[in-house]
Amino acid sequence: MRIAFCDDQKAIIKELDQLVRKFNHQNQFQDNLISFSTPLTLYSYMQTEKVDLIFMDLEFEDISEDGIEWSKKILKQFPKTIIIILTAYESRYKDGYVARVFRFMTKPVEEKELFENLHACRQELQLARTISLSKRGIVHEISLEDILYFSAQSGGTELWTCSDMFCCEESLLQWEMQLPENIFFRCHKKYLVNLTHVKEFDSSYCTLNNGEKLPISRRKWKGFQIAYMKCDVYGY
C-alpha cells in the first residue's frame, strides 16, 4: 500500500511518517511512503504513479490550495484512492462528506485513531480487489466485497454473492490461502465466509446479512470469535 502525506507543515509530515512506520513494523507491512508539500505536486505525481492512501491537509498556507477541492479533483480521476483529511477544525466536515473522502482526523494526530484508520483503509483496499471468473463464456469481475462465502463441492468450490453463484475449479484451501485472512475465515471444513457479511452468530451458526446461515465447527468457534471481533473493530 503506497501512502502519501500532503501537508505543508514538516512537523506533521514527520509525525505521520514515524507513526505509520511504527504501524507497519508492528503488523509486518512494508514501508512505501512519500510526502508532498502541496496538492499540486501530489496530483502531478499521481499522473504516472499509483497512490493507494492519501493523508491530505485541509488548509495550506497558500489559501488557493484547498484540501477538500483537491480531494474532489483527485477522486474524480482516481476514484479508488482513499483520502483522509487532516484538520484542526470540524466546521468543514460536511464538505468532506460531499467530496466523498474516507474519513477525517483532527490534529494533533492520535496514535490509536491513526492505527484504527490504517487498518480500516487496508480492509477497504482489500475489499475493492476483484477476481475474474467465467460463467457461460462471459468473464465477470467480482469484487471481494460482494462475495458472501465459498462452499466446497466435489471437484472445486461454489462462490456465492448476493445475486449469483459461480463454479470454480480452485479448492477451498486454495481460496483460503490467497484471500485476505482478516476478511475471510474458514468457519467449517466446507465453508469460507466473508466476515463483513456476518450479521450475528452463536456457537453453532453464523447468520449473514441476507439471512443465510452457515455452520461453525466446534474447533473453529474460538478462532471465529477472535477473527470476527478484529474485523468488526475496524468498521466492517
Side-chain angles (χ1 to χ4, degrees):
M1 179 168 68
R2 179 172 292 167
I3 301 175
F5 310 121
C6 189
D7 199 302
D8 55 7
Q9 297 182 46
K10 291 183 179 180
I12 297 295
I13 294 287
K14 182 178 180 180
E15 179 185 22
L16 284 169
D17 185 89
Q18 290 175 342
L19 288 174
V20 172
R21 289 181 187 276
K22 180 178 179 179
F23 170 86
N24 286 342
H25 177 73
Q26 289 180 0
N27 293 277
Q28 298 182 326
F29 299 141
Q30 290 186 342
D31 292 321
N32 193 352
L33 314 177
I34 190 166
S35 60
F36 302 89
S37 59
T38 68
L40 177 59
T41 54
L42 166 61
Y43 184 72
S44 298
Y45 175 84
M46 292 180 70
Q47 301 308 306
T48 56
E49 300 291 339
K50 181 183 178 183
V51 175
D52 299 297
L53 168 63
I54 300 170
F55 287 90
M56 175 76 76
D57 190 19
L58 178 63
E59 296 181 350
F60 294 80
E61 287 187 11
D62 182 349
I63 59 174
S64 66
E65 303 279 22
D66 182 272
I68 294 292
E69 294 304 315
W70 272 106
S71 294
K72 290 179 183 178
K73 186 172 184 177
I74 290 171
L75 290 172
K76 184 176 181 179
Q77 184 173 352
F78 308 100
K80 292 185 178 180
T81 303
I82 294 177
I83 299 179
I84 294 178
I85 294 290
L86 301 171
T87 179
Y89 310 99
E90 298 182 5
S91 58
R92 294 193 63 195
Y93 274 22
K94 185 176 180 180
D95 294 334
Y97 297 135
V98 173
R100 297 175 62 193
V101 300
F102 186 65
R103 291 186 182 176
F104 274 88
M105 287 186 62
T106 54
K107 297 179 182 180
V109 175
E110 294 184 2
E111 180 178 304
K112 181 175 182 295
E113 182 185 13
L114 176 65
F115 284 13
E116 288 176 353
N117 283 334
L118 286 169
H119 274 297
C121 288
R122 292 193 71 88
Q123 288 194 340
E124 185 80 7
L125 290 168
Q126 288 171 336
L127 285 168
R129 280 175 46 193
T130 62
I131 56 177
S132 299
L133 292 175
S134 179
K135 185 172 184 178
R136 301 187 186 95
I138 301 174
V139 176
H140 298 260
E141 293 292 330
I142 305 168
S143 71
L144 300 193
E145 184 177 14
D146 293 332
I147 299 172
L148 295 176
Y149 62 90
F150 295 82
S151 62
Q153 302 295 326
S154 176
T157 53
E158 290 177 349
L159 180 159
W160 289 86
T161 69
C162 290
S163 59
D164 210 343
M165 185 274 287
F166 297 84
C167 294
C168 317
E169 294 181 354
E170 292 86 353
S171 68
L172 207 59
L173 178 59
Q174 287 175 306
W175 283 119
E176 184 180 10
M177 292 177 65
Q178 66 177 282
L179 293 171
E181 62 181 12
N182 59 322
I183 297 173
F184 289 87
F185 185 82
R186 184 82 169 264
C187 62
H188 186 274
K189 64 180 180 180
K190 290 189 175 182
Y191 294 98
L192 179 65
V193 65
N194 184 337
L195 294 168
T196 69
H197 286 286
V198 174
K199 181 179 180 182
E200 56 187 20
F201 60 89
D202 56 31
S203 59
S204 300
Y205 293 92
C206 60
T207 303
L208 307 185
N209 291 326
N210 69 344
E212 286 190 72
K213 288 189 175 184
L214 302 181
I216 303 174
S217 65
R218 186 177 301 175
R219 69 185 185 89
K220 292 285 188 176
W221 167 235
K222 185 172 291 186
F224 179 88
Q225 291 181 83
I226 294 171
Y228 179 82
M229 285 189 291
K230 285 183 177 180
C231 188
D232 190 52
V233 161
Y234 302 116
Y236 290 91

